[in-house]
């Protein structure tokens, strides 16, 4: 086993994290990762509060190992979700956007480990100063919302800037990557695309085969107005070439569909939009486009219709050609990393 500050902090056997991918990171995948010794993270942004409660209960039925929940700090029901996590004894609170200082303090007082995700050194410095226990830093190679700076440039910047454990994300899929991240000073790696492409992932098999047959990704702003790395597809090409009026109409339709699925009121969705806009340089058009994201992802990841949805993906998709179980994957990563580290000859 490879012991690091991350494994000690969270209480897992291996320094490998499965990220909270919307519609993908459900109880089956999270518990499989946890039972294999990694840290599984439930994705709650696409769940109602009741669905999240049920998902947490299912994970606890499947494993006794620690796991986490990823949530939006600016969601209108964030307080209720946090109360639920505290009540249910969830080990880790993961955030895609930096939570406020008082929120970090409340979680830590309740015994949770707080791990925000960041894409810049200054953001890592901010959450570290606010009391975050660790930070996950994703380079531009990663899938979904991403930045422009490569992991190999961003990771050492963050490691040098903070004195809390740093988890590296973006471009990792095997033991060589874990070994490299540890050499940079990281405490572990986080992976999304690699765990999506496992036998334990609930993504339809037909969609997994689409991933396995792809080599190209691109970063588009036409999904939700923010940089989003996805698989190249006919739909994405269409989105890239569609005019603003058509994109807005699509976003309105998707907003209505997500309202029906989530049970949210228009008032709540508008409040969430205001929360997204606060402190950020986003136009209302971009916020409206954000309604695309849950439904476009659901079409592929749940409904099995890649022709109607987008498929978030890291660049490592070009290097993946198998669908192992999470247990097989994590064991192979740790074994290969140990071999790589032991094989270094400093003489």
């Amino acid at each position: 086993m490879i012991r690091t500050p991350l494994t000690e902090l969270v209480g897992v056997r291996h320094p490998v994290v499965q990220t909270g991918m919307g519609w993908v990171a459900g109880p089956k995948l999270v518990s499989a990762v946890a039972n294999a010794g990694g840290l599984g993270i439930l994705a709650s942004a696409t769940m109602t509060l009741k669905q999240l409660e049920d998902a947490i209960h299912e994970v606890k039925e499947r494993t006794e190992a620690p796991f986490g929940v990823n949530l939006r700090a600016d969601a209108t029901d964030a307080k209720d979700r946090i109360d639920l996590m505290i009540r249910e004894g969830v080990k880790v609170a993961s955030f895609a956007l930096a939570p406020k200082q008082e929120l970090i303090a409340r979680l830590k007082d309740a015994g949770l480990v707080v791990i925000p995700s960041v894409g810049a050194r200054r953001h890592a410095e901010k959450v570290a100063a606010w009391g975050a226990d660790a930070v996950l830093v994703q380079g531009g190679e990663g899938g979904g919302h991403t930045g422009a700076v490569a992991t190999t440039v961003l990771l050492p910047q963050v490691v040098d800037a903070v004195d809390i454990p740093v988890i590296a994300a973006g471009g990792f899929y095997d033991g060589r990557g874990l070994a490299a991240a540890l050499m940079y000073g990281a405490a572990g790696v986080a992976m999304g695309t690699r765990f999506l492409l496992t036998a334990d992932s609930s993504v339809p098999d037909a969609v997994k085969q689409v991933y396995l047959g792809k080599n190209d990704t691109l970063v588009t702003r036409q999904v939700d107005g923010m940089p989003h790395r996805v698989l190249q597809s006919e739909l994405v090409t269409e989105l890239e070439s569609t005019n603003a009026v058509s994109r807005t109409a699509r976003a309105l339709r998707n907003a209505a569909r997500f309202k029906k699925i989530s049970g949210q009121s228009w008032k709540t969705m508008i409040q969430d939009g205001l929360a997204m806009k606060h402190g950020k340089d986003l136009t209302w058009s971009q916020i409206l486009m954000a309604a695309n994201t849950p439904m476009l992802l659901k079409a592929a990841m749940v409904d099995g219709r890649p022709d109607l949805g987008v498929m978030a993906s890291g660049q490592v998709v070009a290097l993946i050609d198998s669908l192992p179980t999470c247990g097989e994957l994590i064991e192979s990563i740790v074994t290969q990393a140990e071999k790589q580290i032991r094989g270094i000859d400093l003489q």
Side-chain angles (χ1 to χ4, degrees), residues 78-139:
K79 181 181 181 300
D80 294 333
R81 290 172 184 258
I82 289 168
D83 287 342
L84 171 64
M85 291 164 62
I86 293 172
R87 187 168 64 248
E88 294 294 337
V90 174
K91 181 66 176 180
V92 174
S94 164
F95 294 92
L97 297 174
K100 294 181 179 179
Q101 186 172 6
E102 55 268 27
L103 184 56
I104 293 176
R106 179 163 181 261
L107 287 162
K108 292 186 64 171
D109 287 345
L112 275 78
V113 175
V114 180
I115 308 179
S117 297
V118 300
R121 180 179 64 184
R122 67 182 184 278
H123 298 152
E125 292 172 331
K126 178 175 70 174
V127 296
W130 285 356
D133 296 292
V135 64
L136 188 154
V137 54
Q138 177 176 307

Side-chain angles (χ1 to χ4, degrees), residues 76-298:
T76 52
D77 63 350
K79 181 181 181 300
D80 294 333
R81 290 172 184 258
I82 289 168
D83 287 342
L84 171 64
M85 291 164 62
I86 293 172
R87 187 168 64 248
E88 294 294 337
V90 174
K91 181 66 176 180
V92 174
S94 164
F95 294 92
L97 297 174
K100 294 181 179 179
Q101 186 172 6
E102 55 268 27
L103 184 56
I104 293 176
R106 179 163 181 261
L107 287 162
K108 292 186 64 171
D109 287 345
L112 275 78
V113 175
V114 180
I115 308 179
S117 297
V118 300
R121 180 179 64 184
R122 67 182 184 278
H123 298 152
E125 292 172 331
K126 178 175 70 174
V127 296
W130 285 356
D133 296 292
V135 64
L136 188 154
V137 54
Q138 177 176 307
E141 300 94 327
H145 291 121
T146 194
V149 182
T151 303
T152 51
V153 176
L154 184 58
L155 177 58
Q157 290 182 19
V158 175
V159 168
D160 290 344
V162 300
D163 59 0
I164 57 176
V166 176
I167 304 164
F172 297 100
Y173 75 105
D174 67 1
R176 293 172 298 179
L178 173 57
L182 296 176
M183 293 301 100
Y184 271 112
V189 296
M191 304 182 298
T193 305
R194 177 65 275 198
F195 278 113
L196 185 156
L197 293 172
T198 60
D200 297 305
S201 163
S202 61
V203 173
D205 289 340
V207 177
K208 291 178 185 177
Q209 292 303 316
V210 173
Y211 272 86
L212 292 177
K214 290 285 188 178
N215 291 316
D216 298 328
T217 65
L218 81 161
V219 177
T220 178
R221 289 181 176 269
Q222 303 312 322
V223 174
D224 60 3
M226 304 290 283
H228 204 113
R229 186 176 294 284
V230 298
L231 287 183
Q232 178 67 271
S233 68
E234 290 184 9
L235 176 62
V236 173
T237 300
E238 178 187 336
L239 290 173
E240 287 282 304
S241 60
T242 301
N243 61 45
V245 174
S246 297
R247 288 197 300 270
T248 301
R250 182 194 293 269
L252 282 168
R253 291 194 300 271
N254 280 334
R257 291 170 63 198
F258 188 60
K259 173 181 178 294
K260 182 177 180 180
I261 290 175
S262 66
Q264 293 181 339
S265 66
W266 283 113
K267 179 181 178 181
T268 298
M269 293 179 69
I270 291 171
Q271 289 174 334
D272 281 346
L274 287 169
M276 288 174 62
K277 184 173 174 59
H278 180 69
K280 304 179 183 70
D281 186 22
L282 298 179
T283 66
W284 274 106
S285 176
Q286 287 177 309
I287 292 172
L288 178 59
M289 286 173 63
N292 274 322
T293 307
M295 299 314 302
L296 288 177
L297 290 173
K298 178 178 180 293

